[in-house]
Amino acid sequence: MTVPGKTHLAFQYNGKLTELTTKVHSVRPFTSLEEPNQLLFKNGGENDFVIVTSETIFHPQGGGQPSDEGFITWKPHDATTEAATGSSSGSIQSFQVRAVRMDAVNGSQVLHLGTFTTTEAVSQLHQGDEVKQILDQEKRLLYSRLHTAGHVLGSAVRSLLETEIPGFDELKASHFPDSAACEFQGAIEGKWKEPIQARVNEYLEKSMPVEIDFWTEEDFRREGLERLIPDRRLLPPGEDKFRVVRIVGAEVYPCGGTHVDTTDLCGETKVKKIARSKGVSRVSYTVA
């Protein structure tokens, strides 16, 4: 049974957290989820469970960024279960987190999908139990580098082409390792590939700070960035400020994702290709 409550998105306030102690809201078999939530997970199966916690350092897939992966661990304390299974209450049990999504039914909750690493662990985790979340740090770093690099690319393209292409605008982006790209309104000709690469390189070499802040609609207006004001329906319940990411010296983006601290930490960022279709240009990129 889902417990009403909000999952605090700890990663949005401290992106350096790789471990976090929190408490369990609910544990549910994947097959018991509402259909809209089952549809969020393409690879969910009969042996999978979904855990909701009061806080999370796991970034749910969204905003073009893949979800984090890792583990949730705890010490069982159920004496009855211990006697039945022969396991020690001092032993650590774990749950492997393979995918994370925002709840489509209860939008303020975060769903952690995965599998218990032992059979007895299924019955040893309960509502209210204290658990530790542990990130796959290698994947988090890769996704953060890709996400910041995508913002760097978007900033570079805007700085060069905003006044060169009629109706120019930034549309959407993918920061997945195998399909990283930014899309723009307007036809960007191939001749711009080298200038875009040069501007990206410039931004990386400057080691521009990447800052996180929280803005009201008035903050956007004060900065002359009315065009960036998000739909208020995107605000989490009870919140009145939007999270923004500023690449100091370049652009500001409304963004809920994870990032590296300075642009040079993206690593070598290569503009791969510019593709055009129906008035939209897609600029793909990689990081090394």
Side-chain angles (χ1 to χ4, degrees):
M1 179 178 179
T2 302
V3 178
K6 174 183 176 181
T7 303
H8 175 68
L9 305 181
F11 65 86
Q12 289 198 341
Y13 299 87
N14 184 350
K16 291 183 171 61
L17 288 174
T18 59
E19 296 187 2
L20 177 71
T21 299
T22 184
K23 290 189 175 181
V24 173
H25 271 323
S26 62
V27 182
R28 301 176 64 187
F30 170 73
T31 54
S32 75
L33 291 182
E34 306 86 350
E35 184 177 0
N37 280 329
Q38 289 195 27
L39 292 174
L40 295 174
F41 300 99
K42 294 181 179 179
N43 299 318
E46 293 183 356
N47 296 323
D48 291 323
F49 286 77
V50 167
I51 295 176
V52 174
T53 54
S54 58
E55 304 167 274
T56 188
I57 54 174
F58 288 90
H59 180 280
Q61 181 171 304
Q65 181 173 332
S67 75
D68 284 320
E69 299 179 29
F71 289 88
I72 294 175
T73 66
W74 71 98
K75 288 185 178 182
H77 56 77
D78 187 328
T80 302
T81 301
E82 178 182 342
T85 62
S87 64
S88 167
S89 61
S91 63
I92 300 296
Q93 292 285 16
S94 64
F95 176 87
Q96 184 174 6
V97 178
R98 300 198 322 272
V100 187
R101 302 287 188 273
M102 290 301 302
D103 191 315
V105 178
N106 305 287
S108 60
Q109 294 187 343
V110 175
L111 309 177
H112 306 81
L113 175 88
T115 52
F116 289 94
T117 53
T118 63
T119 303
E120 63 268 20
V122 177
S123 61
Q124 292 180 336
L125 188 63
H126 311 283
Q127 178 185 336
D129 282 355
E130 187 174 270
V131 294
K132 178 184 286 187
Q133 297 177 340
I134 304 171
L135 279 185
D136 182 325
Q137 296 184 50
E138 185 175 343
K139 288 186 177 179
R140 161 60 74 82
L141 178 57
L142 173 60
Y143 299 157
S144 298
R145 290 171 56 220
L146 281 161
H147 202 150
T148 303
H151 285 346
V152 168
L153 174 60
S155 299
V157 173
R158 177 175 287 278
S159 70
L160 289 167
L161 301 179
E162 184 173 21
T163 60
E164 297 288 334
I165 297 178
F168 174 88
D169 199 5
E170 295 178 66
L171 299 178
K172 61 182 181 179
S174 167
H175 310 298
F176 282 69
D178 57 352
S179 60
C182 298
E183 293 188 5
F184 305 89
Q185 186 68 45
I188 302 176
E189 298 178 18
K191 68 179 183 180
W192 287 105
K193 181 180 177 183
E194 289 187 9
I196 292 171
Q197 182 69 69
R199 185 60 56 85
V200 166
N201 292 345
E202 176 189 338
Y203 286 178
L204 298 180
E205 290 166 3
K206 286 183 176 179
S207 300
M208 294 172 163
V210 181
E211 298 178 349
I212 307 297
D213 204 351
F214 293 83
W215 285 9
T216 64
E217 292 184 12
E218 184 55 38
D219 292 325
F220 283 96
R221 295 189 182 94
R222 187 187 64 249
E223 296 279 340
L225 296 172
E226 291 91 344
R227 63 180 172 81
L228 295 179
I229 296 176
D231 189 324
R232 289 193 63 82
R233 289 175 295 182
L234 298 177
L235 281 170
E239 300 289 342
D240 62 355
K241 292 186 177 182
F242 299 96
R243 186 175 187 265
V244 297
V245 174
R246 181 194 291 273
I247 299 177
V248 178
E251 284 284 313
V252 174
Y253 292 93
C255 179
T258 65
H259 292 273
V260 292
D261 289 338
T262 54
T263 55
D264 58 301
L265 297 177
C266 294
E268 181 183 0
T269 301
K270 182 177 180 180
V271 180
K272 286 178 58 182
K273 181 181 178 181
I274 301 176
R276 295 167 295 279
S277 177
K278 300 179 180 180
V280 174
S281 299
R282 179 180 174 88
V283 183
S284 57
Y285 70 96
T286 59
V287 298

